Amino acid sequence: MGKWSPADDAELAAGWRLWLELSDRVWPDPSWNGTPADAIRQVRELLAACESIRLDYLAESTRPSVALLQLLQSMPFVASFPVDLWHDDTHPLDVERAELLHGDLASFAQHVAGVRAALARGGGWVELDRRPWGLPVD
């Protein structure tokens, strides 16, 4: 994953928004109905949030960061395979298809983790991923 460091407030805000969006939207939430299409629904919502962040950032920035735009644009690129494969599959999962879906989501989750790590390093938020929420840092 590339290096990123915010150059201005618009970039810092966009990076922070992206980091927050990526924190828990890869895997199905408790409302999941058990179908691949519904599992991918959350990924598609995440991609829509990424696009919103990108558009807001471009509207606010006079000199957009190539590094941040690359991080944002990597999301739909990496998600395109599982989204295209599973978005219209509304049949309940069997064991074999569940393993395949899990593998596809795990690959996307690995990319998301890399993007979050790059954002955390560049934004100075690395410690936020290391400490349990609500507990003081030593």
Side-chain angles (χ1 to χ4, degrees):
M1 202 60 46
K3 290 192 176 208
W4 171 78
S5 182
D8 57 27
D9 288 344
E11 190 173 349
L12 178 65
W16 179 250
R17 282 181 59 200
L18 179 58
W19 187 81
L20 289 173
E21 288 291 344
L22 298 179
S23 66
D24 66 351
R25 296 189 43 177
V26 175
W27 298 100
D29 62 20
S31 70
W32 180 45
N33 71 7
T35 66
D38 198 46
I40 292 300
R41 168 190 52 85
Q42 194 159 334
V43 172
R44 294 174 87 177
E45 290 170 0
L46 174 60
L47 297 177
C50 290
E51 180 63 5
S52 174
I53 292 167
R54 187 184 74 80
L55 292 174
D56 290 348
Y57 173 60
L58 288 172
E60 293 172 15
S61 181
T62 57
R63 294 182 49 189
S65 161
V66 172
L68 181 58
L69 291 174
Q70 287 175 338
L71 289 173
L72 283 160
Q73 292 167 340
S74 73
M75 300 304 295
F77 178 76
V78 173
S80 64
F81 176 74
V83 168
D84 288 347
L85 184 63
W86 299 105
H87 78 278
D88 61 353
D89 187 338
T90 58
H91 302 289
L93 288 169
D94 56 32
V95 172
E96 182 180 330
R97 290 174 54 246
E99 289 175 0
L100 293 170
L101 175 61
H102 183 271
D104 291 342
L105 290 176
S107 293
F108 181 61
Q110 184 175 11
H111 177 73
V112 166
V115 170
R116 286 193 83 229
L119 291 167
R121 279 190 307 272
W125 314 310
V126 172
E127 288 301 316
L128 293 176
D129 276 337
R130 291 189 184 149
R131 86 178 117 166
W133 289 106
L135 298 177
V137 177
D138 295 337

